[in-house]
Amino acid sequence: MRIDIIDTIAGLEAVRDNWDQVFMEDPDAQHFLSWIWLKNYLSRRRRWFILALRERDPEAPYVAFFPLRLITHLNEKTGLFYDEIIMAGNFAADYTGLIVRPDYEHHAIAGFASFLKHQNWTDLKLEYFSGPAGRREKMIEALQGPEVMFRDSSPKNSENIDNTICPIVPLPASFDDYLEQRMSSQTRQKLRRFLRKVEGDDIYRITMATPETIDRDMDILFNLWRIKWSARKGAERTERLIITTREMLMDSFHCGNLEVPVFWHGDQPLGALANIVDRQRKAILFYITGRDENWKTPSPGLILHGYCIRRAIEHGFKTYDFLRGNEPYKYMFGVEERRISCTLFRTTRSGQNLHGVLNPRSIRFVYEQALDMYRNGARSKAEIAFNQVLQSAPGHTGAEFGLANLLFDRGKLTEALAAYKALVEQAPDPTPIHMRLGDTQLALHQYEQAAETFRRVGEIGPHLIQAHYKRGIALAASKRLAEAETVFAAIQEVHSDDPAALDYAVKAGVALERIRMSAEATARKTDVVPETLARWSRGRHLSERRRLRLH
């Protein structure tokens, strides 16, 4: 068997038919592992990857898929970053896991576990992992070892809700059968009475969202949900959840896989549901609801769920899934319980990845974090991060450049000079390094060398007014006043809307005026002016601390 990595949307699109075939052959597959749901969700995410298993023949179809995602955190105590591998659908999918042809499950678990044990991570979270009985235990057996420990990580809920219990209703052939077989006599009578009332009284109605009404109906749903939950979850978190949830649900709606029924009393919305439609597995997934908490009877929740269950039966669906959580109200609908699991695998290294280095997929992320630290003045933290990048990716030019800049900032000019010279030879775009090399040469009074460095930069990028200006400063400091005058005068002819270019043009004008004044001075003053310019230049360059980024 072999494992390939799919980590682009184009790659995911290329295996759609193969994915759908495996999905339909896996009796435990569910909508949050469907191609369409994952494609929409992952299109908005970064650093995801899917392990795809097949026979060694590169033309053989895939027999299993395991969607994952990488998240990187900073250990504030050590200053080091570490990686978590999580399920690709986490934070939106009620169920996660893998899909596999039944006859390949053993190969899939062994292959995926072997792959993961060779990756660099500190935590591996199989959260809300769904599948047949025993799949979790097989994963634990395959993953644990001397360097990896595990524990149950089922979240605690302040309201005593167990989110590893998933109530689900198997749907019979008719709604009458459902009422008789699944509901208590009291609830059955109440639901029948309420449905007759709603459908027999013009003041009540239930609407289903259309392309013309979906925005209104989603506003109703989330306004009602916000009223109930903002006090408990906090306003900021509530709004963040609304944004991400609405985004995911709208993706489903645009694919034709979302129903949003709204229950009305006149023009007053009393409640709304968002049900994801799994057409492949013939399931309705109840995702979120909002209701007018002040309205007592008829119950919006009972009516909407009863209405949707009846509709699902009429359209040939096989299950009505209440998803995660054993909230008491779900049990009035005659549910059966299905279990999922949450398992945390953690390396025995204290807060460090397996193998002691970053996951390759996090190197760019950590490098970008180091740059942000540097820009924000957190130089010590940036140094640790740059070194961690280099440890994980030896020869990373950007990290080496960052460390060289830190040497310059700390006044270690000789070391910075050597670092910049070495980097110039290997960088794909040496211009930023040449600029810092020239700054360092100026600070070390190596004016001739600095003039030559900035001349080369100016030849490569004639538009880089900063390089021309600094060349002029270096020439003046080395008493090559005629050349400096020519450079500063040429800058005056440049026309640009760039504020930085205009700033250097003004400074060049000041320097040009000083040189022309020096030409009329006495011989003693002529000797003094370049050294004055040099002192002014050195002070400016040491205080600039320009933060150049090298990709």
Side-chain angles (χ1 to χ4, degrees):
M1 306 298 291
R2 59 176 282 172
I3 292 177
D4 294 329
I5 307 298
I6 301 169
D7 57 5
T8 66
I9 293 300
L12 186 55
E13 288 175 340
V15 299
R16 178 171 188 173
D17 291 343
N18 192 168
W19 190 294
D20 286 343
Q21 181 181 8
V22 175
F23 183 88
M24 294 305 297
E25 289 187 28
D26 186 341
D28 295 283
Q30 39 73 25
H31 187 68
F32 297 110
L33 287 170
S34 67
W35 184 92
I36 189 62
W37 190 90
L38 278 167
K39 187 258 185 179
N40 286 328
Y41 188 68
L42 297 180
S43 294
R44 304 179 185 275
R45 302 297 181 277
R46 297 176 60 189
R47 294 196 292 155
W48 56 268
F49 58 103
I50 298 169
L51 307 185
L53 180 77
R54 65 180 171 189
E55 300 282 358
R56 288 197 174 275
D57 180 358
E59 300 301 319
Y62 292 112
V63 296
F65 297 97
F66 194 12
L68 301 165
R69 192 147 53 97
L70 191 71
I71 295 180
T72 305
H73 303 279
L74 174 65
N75 184 325
E76 295 290 349
K77 292 182 179 180
T78 64
L80 296 171
F81 287 87
Y82 66 94
D83 295 306
E84 279 184 353
I85 295 178
I86 65 172
M87 303 294 95
N90 275 167
F91 311 123
D94 273 44
Y95 306 142
T96 66
L98 57 92
I99 59 171
V100 58
R101 285 175 45 184
D103 49 332
Y104 280 93
E105 178 164 323
H106 172 76
H107 295 287
I109 291 175
F112 293 153
S114 176
F115 177 91
L116 290 170
K117 288 168 75 171
H118 286 85
Q119 298 301 294
N120 307 327
W121 48 270
T122 297
D123 292 336
L124 169 63
K125 294 182 175 180
L126 304 187
E127 291 186 325
Y128 305 114
F129 190 76
S130 176
R135 181 174 287 179
R136 173 181 182 264
E137 287 68 28
K138 293 174 185 175
M139 290 291 294
I140 290 173
E141 183 179 354
L143 282 166
Q144 68 177 331
E147 290 191 300
V148 179
M149 55 186 179
F150 76 95
R151 65 174 174 83
D152 181 86
S153 60
S154 301
K156 305 300 180 183
N157 189 292
S158 60
E159 298 176 352
N160 203 33
I161 302 300
D162 187 341
N163 280 309
T164 64
I165 296 177
C166 307
I168 187 169
V169 183
L171 300 178
S174 72
F175 187 58
D176 285 338
D177 287 343
Y178 164 74
L179 294 175
E180 293 294 330
Q181 297 170 10
R182 290 287 169 181
M183 283 193 158
S184 68
S185 59
Q186 183 178 0
T187 306
R188 178 168 63 244
Q189 292 170 11
K190 183 187 293 187
L191 179 56
R192 279 174 168 158
R193 184 172 70 253
F194 283 172
L195 286 176
R196 284 196 300 269
K197 183 176 181 63
V198 169
E199 293 169 346
D201 190 335
D202 290 343
I203 195 67
Y204 294 108
R205 72 186 193 279
I206 295 175
T207 61
M208 300 296 289
T210 66
E212 293 72 32
T213 68
I214 184 62
D215 289 332
R216 177 206 67 185
D217 295 346
M218 294 290 268
D219 286 342
I220 290 169
L221 170 64
F222 285 112
N223 285 339
L224 293 171
W225 188 85
R226 180 186 289 111
I227 291 169
K228 178 175 181 179
W229 292 106
S230 60
R232 303 186 202 183
K233 297 180 181 294
E236 182 178 349
R237 183 179 176 221
T238 297
E239 295 309 312
R240 188 166 62 248
L241 287 170
I242 287 174
I243 290 171
T244 56
T245 303
R246 184 168 185 155
E247 180 181 80
M248 183 274 290
L249 292 175
M250 287 302 296
D251 283 340
S252 293
F253 182 80
H254 292 315
C255 293
N257 294 331
L258 184 74
E259 292 183 342
V260 184
V262 182
F263 177 39
W264 303 80
H265 178 261
D267 293 330
Q268 177 188 358
L270 303 179
L273 302 181
N275 285 340
I276 296 175
V277 182
D278 183 348
R279 301 186 188 282
Q280 291 173 293
R281 311 302 298 196
K282 295 294 183 182
I284 300 295
L285 314 180
F286 160 57
Y287 195 83
I288 191 172
T289 185
R291 56 165 292 177
D292 186 338
E293 297 294 322
N294 296 318
W295 186 273
K296 301 303 180 185
T297 187
S299 166
L302 179 60
I303 287 173
L304 283 169
H305 282 300
Y307 177 85
C308 289
I309 288 172
R310 185 178 68 182
R311 178 183 172 91
I313 292 171
E314 290 171 349
H315 286 82
F317 284 86
K318 302 302 182 184
T319 55
Y320 191 86
D321 192 339
F322 282 92
L323 299 183
R324 290 196 314 240
N326 62 342
E327 291 90 344
Y329 77 87
K330 297 178 180 179
Y331 288 79
M332 72 173 67
F333 295 97
V335 299
E336 297 177 359
E337 291 184 349
R338 190 163 63 84
R339 286 278 183 174
I340 56 177
S341 62
C342 295
T343 308
L344 170 64
F345 295 86
R346 175 165 288 171
T347 68
T348 52
R349 293 172 176 266
S350 180
Q352 296 184 37
N353 283 355
L354 275 174
H355 315 119
V357 294
L358 293 168
N359 189 292
R361 296 177 183 278
S362 69
I363 289 173
R364 181 175 179 84
F365 174 84
V366 173
Y367 172 59
E368 290 173 348
Q369 294 298 302
L371 288 174
D372 287 341
M373 291 171 176
Y374 180 83
R375 295 186 189 104
N376 294 327
R379 303 296 170 83
S380 296
K381 290 183 177 180
E383 182 177 15
I384 294 173
F386 283 135
N387 276 313
Q388 193 176 11
V389 169
L390 275 176
Q391 181 186 13
S392 306
H396 190 288
T397 308
E400 290 181 343
F401 186 45
L403 291 173
N405 288 338
L406 286 168
L407 290 172
F408 179 89
D409 295 340
R410 292 166 180 165
K412 297 181 178 181
L413 300 179
T414 303
E415 294 94 326
L417 184 70
Y420 291 135
K421 285 182 176 179
L423 280 169
V424 161
E425 302 300 323
Q426 56 184 301
D429 177 13
T431 298
I433 301 172
H434 269 124
M435 291 297 296
R436 295 312 300 264
L437 174 62
D439 289 343
T440 308
Q441 289 166 334
L442 279 176
L444 289 169
H445 305 177
Q446 297 177 4
Y447 303 125
E448 294 286 351
Q449 296 93 323
E452 177 60 18
T453 297
F454 289 123
R455 183 192 67 78
R456 292 177 181 173
V457 176
E459 285 184 347
I460 296 171
H463 60 289
L464 296 174
I465 304 303
Q466 178 185 2
H468 297 299
Y469 169 75
K470 290 185 176 183
R471 181 190 174 207
I473 292 296
L475 290 168
S478 60
K479 301 183 181 181
R480 294 161 62 181
L481 297 183
E483 293 175 75
E485 181 178 4
T486 301
V487 171
F488 289 136
I491 293 174
Q492 303 303 297
E493 304 300 320
V494 173
H495 300 284
S496 174
D497 294 329
D498 181 3
L502 293 174
D503 182 46
Y504 281 110
V506 170
K507 292 174 183 177
V510 173
L512 180 63
E513 183 64 24
R514 291 182 182 181
I515 290 174
R516 288 173 174 170
M517 289 174 61
S518 73
E520 302 171 359
T522 63
R524 185 180 65 81
K525 289 182 180 179
T526 302
D527 290 338
V528 171
V529 171
E531 183 58 31
T532 301
L533 277 170
R535 288 199 302 272
W536 168 65
S537 171
R538 288 197 298 274
R540 182 180 186 284
H541 290 302
L542 287 172
S543 63
E544 250 184 346
R545 304 291 192 263
R546 298 191 63 83
R547 300 160 187 170
L548 299 176
R549 175 174 177 174
L550 180 64
H551 294 279

